[in-house]
Each structure stands twice: as structure tokens, then as C-alpha cells.
């Protein structure tokens, strides 16, 4: 029978896009959570401008990451519950490629729009424009890495009753290289050093994840489906 | 077509365990191919597990499953369809979107006319723009079964139907019988689990678990 791979791609992207559009609450939750952190953090640090300048960049990063992590473990759970993962398994397209597309769509529709808020929050925290520019670049690249890590953790915890508890514990250690190299770029810019070596390392980590994440995720999903 | 008639589906000495429970041990079945095979058994006897195992969703512990000669796993995935007892439609999408995307994922052509024709056959065209979460179990079941009335579905080798008559009204049952007969006439094989006492089909093989 003639199989049209273009149809598979269109169907997959359409499904993901419509699902995210209809569950806009998840996106709103992320933004509300982020705003809460950005507002509460300076209040706890106190009115000292020096202290705030020292930690402001970290605040933006923590706000972004903490608001993303709860959504990462939900990449597959609804598809698993309503049987769509089985349909992916039956699809003529490789499950690894389907996973990669799902991660990209998740990143593009849910995470990339968050980068719009980086300049807004950064201005509120008196962060310089140069740092804001680098933050946007690092976050755009690093968040793809987070999505790929989220894909691994989400697929590993499919079918477990306590996946809410396990996922953040799995995600955080794997995300450390992204934190280190991402922060390294900003520190280099602040100290007038070349930020590119750290940026390249960040890209390398993401590229490695781009290869291993679909493989591990597909394997875990197959185990979850066939157990 | 001639080679397809020679194809067969045989389970040889199959054992399957899920968790600590042994579901089958040394199960031998030769299915009627092409034709209708009705699998009966009490609750928990392993009817659904049997279909899932044939569909490769469960891995047998021991034994051999011959699926239409020496069909490779990937070819087999493209040559059969499994309709499970519970709806596998996404609650966030409408019935039309679900079917359209399902067709797309199979690599088949999808267009609105095709979906509408299929929904009309089952008498649920007016629900096409309803979100699945807003539909009753009967409508969901009909939407699920309307996947079988696409032209491409009749070109497959095998349909695995897990209790397809649940939640269906009389019209739904009649139309399902019609498409099942059409598929069998086109040399298709159907494996259907059921709790029904009477069957309207003329020729079928009854398999008791």
C-alpha cells in the first residue's frame, strides 16, 4: 500500500499544535508561575540594588527553568493515556523520528514563546541589554536541551504512579551541564571574555541530547506500551 | 491475490505472562484466513492480551506466531489495524480531527470528504465537530469503528477488533456487519473478541479461550 510520509508529518504537527492550542492553560500556568517567582524573589532579597544586580540573571533563569520543569514530564502522559502513543507505534514512520518531531513542536509552541518574556523580566530586574541578548540565545538553545531531557524522563516514567515525584529528580541532574555552560556564557560576557567557547559547549550538549534522547525515549515508550 | 489466499496465521505453543499471572501456556490456534474468527472467553481469560500479542504490543514468552507467512514486523504493522475496546481518540480534538490525524499517521491520504463519508455511514456526521470529551461512549465507539470504513482499511490483511459491539446500537451493529462482510469478501481476515451469544455472520471460526 502506498504510504505518504508527508501526510504523517503534517498529521503529527497538526495534532500537536491543536492539542497545545486547546490546552492553553498549561502555557498560562507557566507564565503565572514565572511572574510569581520574578516578583517574589526581589522581595525576599531586600531593597539593596547591589545584591539584586548580583542575582538578577540567576532569578530569570530559575524562573524560566522552574516553570518549565512541571510541564516537561507531561510530554507523553496524555498521549499514553488516550492511546495515541500506540498509534505512533503503528505508524510507518520510525518512533524515534516521531519523538524528535514531538520534542521540536513542544519546544516551538510552548517554550519559545516564553523567550518573549525574557526582555520584559530582565528590564524589570535592571539587567543590561547585552546580557538580555545573550540570555535569549542561551535560553533558546538550552531549552531545546531541556525538552530533550524532559522527553527521556517523561518516557521513563510512563505507567508509573508517582511520575510527578520521579521526573524532577531525573531532570535536574541531567540539566546541570546546560546550567553550567549557559551561565558560563553570561559570566564571560559580564567579565568581557569571549562567550563563544561556552556557547559551543552548550550547543554540543544539545546536539548529543538530540541524538540520544529520541533513541532512549523510543525504547522506553516501547517498553511502557508492551509491558 | 492468489498468494494472499495461501497466507495463514498460526499460533504455535504460545506462552504469555503478565506480571505474575500466566495468561496462556502452550496455546495452539490456527486462524481462518481469510475469514472471521470470533474469540470467546470469560473476563480475564486473555482475549485482549491475545489480540495485543498478535498485534506485537505484547511480547510472547515462548512459542511462534506466524503472521501471514513470513511477514516482517514493520510490514505487519502496516498491514493490520487494532481497534481496542477503550476509545483511543484524543479528548482535546474533535472527532473529525481525530480521524483525519489517524489517517495521516498511517500515511494514508486524508481529506474532509473521506472522513465525512465514513462518519455518515455510521450515522454520526452531525457530531464531527464535537470534541471527543463531549461525546457519549456510543458515539466514541462509532467514531473509532469508522476508521474501518476508509478505502485503505479494506486493502489491509487483517483487522483485530476487541469487543467492537460494546456500546453500539442496532444500526451501528448492522453497518459494522456490512463492512466486516465486505472485508472478508475481499479476502481479509478478522479476529474479533466478543461476549455475544448469537452471531449474524454465516461463516466464522469460533475460538474458545
Amino acid at each position: 500500500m502506498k504510504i505518504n510520509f508527508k501526510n504523517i508529518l503534517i498529521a503529527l504537527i497538526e495534532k500537536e499544535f491543536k492539542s497545545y492550542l486547546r490546552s492553553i492553560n498549561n502555557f498560562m500556568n507557566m507564565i503565572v508561575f514565572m511572574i510569581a517567582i520574578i516578583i517574589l524573589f526581589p522581595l525576599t532579597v531586600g531593597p539593596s540594588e547591589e545584591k539584586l544586580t548580583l542575582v538578577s540573571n540567576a532569578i530569570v533563569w530559575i524562573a524560566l527553568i522552574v516553570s518549565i520543569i512541571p510541564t516537561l514530564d507531561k510530554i507523553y502522559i496524555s498521549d499514553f493515556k488516550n492511546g495515541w502513543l500506540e498509534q505512533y507505534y503503528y505508524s510507518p514512520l520510525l518512533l524515534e523520528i516521531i519523538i524528535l518531531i514531538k520534542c521540536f513542536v513542544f519546544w516551538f509552541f510552548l517554550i519559545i514563546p516564553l523567550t518573549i518574556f525574557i526582555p520584559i523580566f530582565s528590564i524589570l530586574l535592571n539587567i543590561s541589554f547585552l546580557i538580555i541578548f545573550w540570555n535569549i540565545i542561551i535560553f533558546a538553545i538550552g531549552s531545546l536541551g531541556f525538552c530533550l531531557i524532559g522527553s527521556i524522563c517523561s518516557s521513563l516514567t510512563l505507567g508509573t504512579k508517582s511520575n510527578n515525584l520521579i521526573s524532577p529528580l531525573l531532570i535536574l541532574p541531567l540539566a546541570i551541564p546546560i546550567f553550567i555552560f549557559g551561565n558560563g556564557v553570561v559570566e564571560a560576557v559580564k567579565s568581557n571574555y569571549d562567550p563563544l567557547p561556552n556557547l559551543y559547549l552548550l550547543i554540543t550538549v544539545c546536539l548529543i541530547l538530540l541524538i540520544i534522547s529520541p533513541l532512549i525515549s523510543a525504547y522506553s515508550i516501547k517498553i511502557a506500551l508492551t509491558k | 491475490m492468489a498468494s494472499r489466499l495461501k497466507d495463514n496465521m498460526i499460533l504455535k505453543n504460545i506462552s504469555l505472562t503478565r506480571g505474575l499471572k500466566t495468561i496462556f501456556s502452550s496455546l495452539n490456534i490456527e486462524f481462518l484466513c481469510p475469514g472471521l474468527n470470533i474469540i470467546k472467553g470469560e473476563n480475564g481469560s486473555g482475549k485482549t492480551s491475545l489480540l495485543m500479542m498478535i498485534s506485537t504490543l505484547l511480547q510472547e514468552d515462548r512459542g511462534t506466531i506466524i503472521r501471514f507467512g513470513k511477514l516482517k514486523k514493520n510490514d505487519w504493522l502496516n498491514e493490520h489495524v487494532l481497534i481496542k475496546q477503550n476509545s483511543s481518540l484524543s479528548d482535546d480534538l474533535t472527532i473529525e480531527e481525530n480521524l483525519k490525524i489517524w489517517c495521516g499517521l498511517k500515511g494514508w491520504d486524508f481529506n474532509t470528504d473521506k472522513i465525512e463519508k465514513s462518519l455518515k455511514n455510521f450515522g454520526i456526521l452531525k457530531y464531527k465537530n464535537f470534541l471527543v470529551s463531549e461525546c457519549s461512549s456510543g458515539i466514541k465507539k462509532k467514531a473509532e469503528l469508522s476508521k474501518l470504513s476508509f478505502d485503505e482499511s479494506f486493502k489491509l490483511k487483517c483487522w483485530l477488533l476487541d469487543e467492537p459491539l460494546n456500546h453500539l446500537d442496532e444500526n451501528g451493529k448492522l453497518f459494522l456487519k456490512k463492512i466486516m462482510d465486505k472485508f472478508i469478501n475481499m479476502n481479509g481476515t478478522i479476529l474479533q473478541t466478543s461476549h455475544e451469544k448469537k452471531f449474524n455472520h454465516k461463516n466464522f471460526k469460533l475460538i474458545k479461550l
Side-chain angles (χ1 to χ4, degrees):
Chain A
M1 194 186 300
K2 195 186 159 199
I3 288 164
N4 190 338
F5 285 95
K6 198 179 127 196
N7 280 353
I8 303 178
L9 285 179
I10 295 170
L12 194 59
I13 293 170
E14 190 181 336
K15 190 216 169 257
E16 294 301 312
F17 175 64
K18 284 187 173 159
S19 295
Y20 289 132
L21 207 66
R22 303 231 165 106
S23 54
I24 196 89
N25 280 356
N26 283 344
F27 183 68
M28 296 313 288
N29 276 347
M30 282 161 73
I31 293 172
V32 170
F33 205 56
M34 222 162 77
I35 294 171
I37 295 172
I38 299 279
I39 292 171
L40 290 175
F41 222 106
L43 290 176
T44 50
V45 168
S48 161
E49 199 182 326
E50 273 178 24
K51 272 189 197 170
L52 202 59
T53 315
L54 204 67
V55 292
S56 56
N57 197 49
I59 297 171
V60 176
W61 265 87
I62 288 169
L64 286 167
I65 304 309
V66 172
S67 56
I68 289 173
I69 284 177
T71 58
L72 286 180
D73 63 346
K74 293 185 183 72
I75 298 180
Y76 301 116
I77 196 78
S78 62
D79 282 343
F80 180 65
K81 280 181 183 164
N82 60 30
W84 272 97
L85 277 186
E86 279 175 24
Q87 309 304 334
Y88 295 151
Y89 172 79
Y90 288 127
S91 174
L93 198 63
L94 272 176
L95 190 57
E96 285 82 354
I97 298 173
I98 292 179
I99 285 165
L100 203 58
I101 295 167
K102 255 185 94 71
C103 288
F104 269 109
V105 175
F106 179 86
W107 175 67
F108 191 77
F109 288 116
L110 221 61
I111 310 293
I112 287 292
L114 279 182
T115 50
I116 300 164
F117 293 90
I118 293 180
I120 302 167
F121 293 141
S122 301
I123 290 166
L124 287 174
L125 292 166
N126 203 20
I127 297 172
S128 73
F129 283 104
L130 185 66
I131 304 279
I132 294 172
F133 167 75
W134 279 104
N135 264 343
I136 291 171
I137 292 175
I138 300 160
F139 185 72
I141 299 167
S143 57
L144 178 63
F146 282 128
C147 292
L148 294 164
I149 292 168
S151 163
I152 296 175
C153 300
S154 178
S155 59
L156 279 173
T157 54
L158 279 178
T160 56
K161 284 174 185 168
S162 52
N163 61 339
N164 286 345
L165 198 74
I166 301 166
S167 285
L169 291 175
L170 285 170
I171 291 169
L172 284 171
L174 290 170
I176 286 173
I178 299 175
F179 281 123
I180 292 171
F181 299 129
N183 198 42
V185 174
V186 177
E187 287 304 317
V189 173
K190 275 183 183 172
S191 323
N192 288 327
Y193 288 123
D194 185 9
L196 290 179
N198 276 309
L199 184 67
Y200 292 151
L201 283 168
L202 183 67
I203 294 170
T204 310
V205 171
C206 290
L207 287 176
I208 292 168
L209 283 168
L210 208 60
I211 296 164
I212 62 165
S213 170
L215 296 174
I216 298 172
S217 305
Y219 192 71
S220 316
I221 287 171
K222 279 176 192 166
I223 292 172
L225 286 176
T226 55
K227 78 175 179 186
Chain B
M1 198 62 82
S3 66
R4 193 174 155 176
L5 284 169
K6 284 178 193 169
D7 289 344
N8 51 9
M9 180 130 74
I10 302 169
L11 305 187
K12 281 183 188 169
N13 204 20
I14 295 290
S15 297
L16 178 73
T17 47
R18 291 184 83 173
L20 294 172
K21 194 185 170 195
T22 304
I23 297 171
F24 313 119
S25 56
S26 303
L27 183 73
N28 291 292
I29 303 174
E30 184 166 353
F31 293 104
L32 182 68
C33 298
L36 173 63
N37 299 272
I38 293 176
I39 303 160
K40 287 191 83 170
E42 292 172 358
N43 291 336
S45 59
K47 300 185 293 297
T48 305
S49 300
L50 180 69
L51 290 190
M52 286 169 74
M53 192 176 66
I54 292 168
S55 176
T56 71
L57 266 178
L58 285 178
Q59 186 65 45
E60 64 275 12
D61 300 326
R62 200 157 42 87
T64 318
I65 304 178
I66 299 170
R67 299 178 182 93
F68 296 93
K70 288 177 181 175
L71 208 60
K72 284 179 188 169
K73 190 184 169 187
N74 282 349
D75 294 331
W76 167 243
L77 292 180
N78 298 333
E79 284 293 350
H80 82 281
V81 62
L82 169 67
I83 304 289
K84 289 179 87 174
Q85 195 177 346
N86 300 324
S87 154
S88 58
L89 304 167
S90 176
D91 286 347
D92 299 332
L93 304 174
T94 65
I95 285 180
E96 189 189 8
E97 286 164 352
N98 262 298
L99 294 180
K100 220 171 140 182
I101 292 163
W102 184 82
C103 275
L105 279 177
K106 285 261 173 202
W108 299 349
D109 286 328
F110 55 87
N111 56 56
T112 314
D113 291 344
K114 181 180 162 180
I115 309 289
E116 281 185 359
K117 190 183 152 198
S118 177
L119 292 174
K120 199 178 171 183
N121 287 333
F122 268 100
I124 51 166
L125 183 61
K126 60 182 174 184
Y127 298 103
K128 70 168 187 169
N129 291 325
F130 278 49
L131 284 177
V132 170
S133 54
E134 296 167 354
C135 294
S136 68
S137 310
I139 306 291
K140 281 184 198 172
K141 192 75 189 182
K142 283 183 172 179
E144 189 81 38
L145 288 169
S146 59
K147 291 172 182 174
L148 298 174
S149 68
F150 297 132
D151 291 340
E152 290 88 345
S153 298
F154 291 101
K155 292 173 190 164
L156 300 173
K157 279 186 190 292
C158 184
W159 290 357
L160 306 174
L161 311 177
D162 190 11
E163 302 196 20
L165 303 173
N166 286 4
H167 307 294
L168 272 191
D169 57 17
E170 283 308 311
N171 287 337
K173 284 178 185 173
L174 277 176
F175 187 70
L176 181 64
K177 183 186 176 295
K178 201 175 145 190
I179 55 170
M180 281 166 77
D181 287 343
K182 187 182 167 188
F183 182 58
I184 292 165
N185 286 335
M186 292 171 80
N187 289 321
T189 303
I190 301 175
L191 272 61
Q192 177 196 339
T193 63
S194 183
H195 284 296
E196 302 280 311
K197 285 179 184 168
K198 284 183 179 177
F199 299 98
N200 295 326
H201 302 274
K202 284 177 189 167
N203 297 314
F204 60 86
K205 184 174 180 179
L206 191 66
I207 295 154
K208 286 187 180 172
L209 290 182

